[in-house]
Amino acid sequence: MSLLLVLNELSYRETKARREDISDSLHGLVKLLRKVRQHRTDVALVTERRFFDLDLGDDYSVREWAGDGRNSDALRYLRGMRQRAPFRDVAPADLRDGAEYFHGEQPAEGLGTAHQVGGLAVSLPLAQLWDETLLRLSQHGLAEDDAGAIVLTRAEVGVRHACRPGHVDEHQQWLCDSELTRIHSGAKLWEAREDIFPHLRFLPSVADDLLRLRSAWLQPVKERLAELELTAAAWVPAIEAGPRWRSKVTPESDTRKALCRFVDTDGTTRVFDWHARFTPGAGRLHFRMDGAHQQLVIAYIGAKLG
């Protein structure tokens, strides 16, 4: 299932910002989307109407912005994004019907949609109130009380949010974990690997490792892979010889390195002696570092080699 990035209509609908500032905010949105896609490639942008039909303030529109040649690169990127609209077509009917959301006193359909689908709300950074990584909403709905009467309910809920690339760093653990929670087999983990682990590369043989994975090992393997993804994403090979590990990671001893030879994706046999551990038992996840591509290359997941 795609990660939905829901554009908050309150961040642009009644703005009094100058056209230049609105244009800059759209370029900022592109930078934000690019940052999210460093962590998850399976993303879609959700808007109240088709993105290119949006009005931005009183006298500006996305179509006008798109007609300015200075915006061609950003426009090309936005055209290539998977997009969905309107809001009401995104959330399941059983969640959508009978629920309303408010940010302060304003109805907030986009922010409410992000909350309902477990997505990430995004805003144009045209006002200081959107410079937050978590927004508080008032959720209004209908429920049946103990006497069988239908009553109005109100609750405060939080929705994950970003309006600039730096906010994405606050959500990177969740960006990885949110999809992992939906995976309940090694086969599904293999299918989703490119979307949720963009900084990990897997040898083809790992598909068989995951198909044979013991059920007790699925969760710890997901945890180790998530940690390695976050580690590699933060790694700067130009200034760091190796990443800063988030769990126990060590190389094999010289006497055991012969066990760690695997044929890489380019046909070259290499030593994948770095390994992380998982339990119960002596589970091992073997990999090597690829600084040229800021990736960790996974060669084996299973019982201790030998």
Side-chain angles (χ1 to χ4, degrees), residues 109-164:
E109 189 176 2
L111 297 176
T113 299
H115 179 262
Q116 289 176 327
V117 301
L120 178 68
V122 296
S123 296
L124 298 188
L126 294 170
Q128 185 64 33
L129 80 162
W130 305 125
D131 193 15
E132 301 285 347
T133 57
L134 184 73
L135 296 177
R136 294 294 177 183
L137 308 177
S138 178
Q139 181 191 56
H140 298 189
L142 298 175
E144 186 176 289
D145 66 12
D146 293 339
I150 302 300
V151 296
L152 176 66
T153 62
R154 297 190 180 192
E156 184 180 272
V157 298
V159 61
R160 293 178 182 86
H161 175 262
C163 77
R164 51 186 174 85

Side-chain angles (χ1 to χ4, degrees), residues 258-299:
L259 299 171
C260 309
R261 297 172 64 83
F262 296 87
V263 179
D264 211 332
T265 51
D266 63 358
T268 302
T269 298
R270 293 188 171 94
V271 175
F272 293 76
D273 63 320
W274 287 93
H275 61 278
R277 297 162 172 78
F278 53 89
T279 58
R284 297 290 187 270
L285 192 157
H286 279 263
F287 61 92
R288 71 174 182 87
M289 292 178 275
D290 180 359
H293 297 95
Q294 194 186 339
Q295 288 184 322
L296 304 179
V297 187
I298 311 300

Side-chain angles (χ1 to χ4, degrees), residues 3-71:
L3 172 67
L4 301 181
L5 309 178
V6 187
L7 183 61
N8 169 24
E9 76 281 8
L10 300 181
S11 69
Y12 59 79
R13 186 181 284 171
E14 297 180 3
T15 182
K16 302 299 182 183
R18 300 177 305 161
R19 289 188 171 204
E20 293 84 356
D21 293 333
I22 296 174
S23 179
D24 288 345
S25 76
L26 288 169
H27 284 272
L29 176 65
V30 169
K31 292 177 181 178
L32 188 157
L33 297 175
R34 289 183 184 274
K35 187 67 177 289
V36 172
R37 293 182 76 180
Q38 290 178 11
H39 302 284
R40 287 280 295 273
T41 59
D42 59 329
V43 299
L45 180 64
V46 181
T47 49
E48 58 175 332
R49 298 191 304 277
R50 292 181 64 252
F51 181 78
F52 292 96
D53 292 336
L54 296 180
D55 294 320
L56 307 172
D58 295 332
D59 63 348
Y60 199 36
S61 68
V62 172
R63 290 194 182 279
E64 289 180 85
W65 176 82
D68 187 330
R70 293 173 296 180
N71 304 321

Side-chain angles (χ1 to χ4, degrees), residues 187-302:
K188 292 296 183 182
L189 187 58
W190 174 258
E191 290 175 7
R193 70 195 185 284
E194 293 181 357
D195 289 331
I196 56 180
F197 304 126
H199 294 89
L200 306 182
R201 188 166 79 249
F202 295 77
L203 300 193
S205 58
V206 178
D208 289 333
D209 294 340
L210 292 176
L211 284 174
R212 295 192 298 265
L213 194 67
R214 292 166 46 186
S215 58
W217 278 352
L218 179 61
Q219 184 58 34
V221 165
K222 291 196 297 182
E223 291 172 359
R224 291 293 86 75
L225 290 173
E227 290 168 354
L228 291 176
E229 167 60 29
L230 293 174
T231 295
W235 180 29
V236 184
I239 61 175
E240 298 175 301
R244 300 177 184 180
W245 309 114
R246 293 170 178 250
S247 61
K248 186 173 182 179
V249 170
T250 56
E252 285 283 13
S253 64
D254 290 340
T255 58
R256 289 181 52 81
K257 285 187 177 181
L259 299 171
C260 309
R261 297 172 64 83
F262 296 87
V263 179
D264 211 332
T265 51
D266 63 358
T268 302
T269 298
R270 293 188 171 94
V271 175
F272 293 76
D273 63 320
W274 287 93
H275 61 278
R277 297 162 172 78
F278 53 89
T279 58
R284 297 290 187 270
L285 192 157
H286 279 263
F287 61 92
R288 71 174 182 87
M289 292 178 275
D290 180 359
H293 297 95
Q294 194 186 339
Q295 288 184 322
L296 304 179
V297 187
I298 311 300
Y300 171 79
I301 300 175

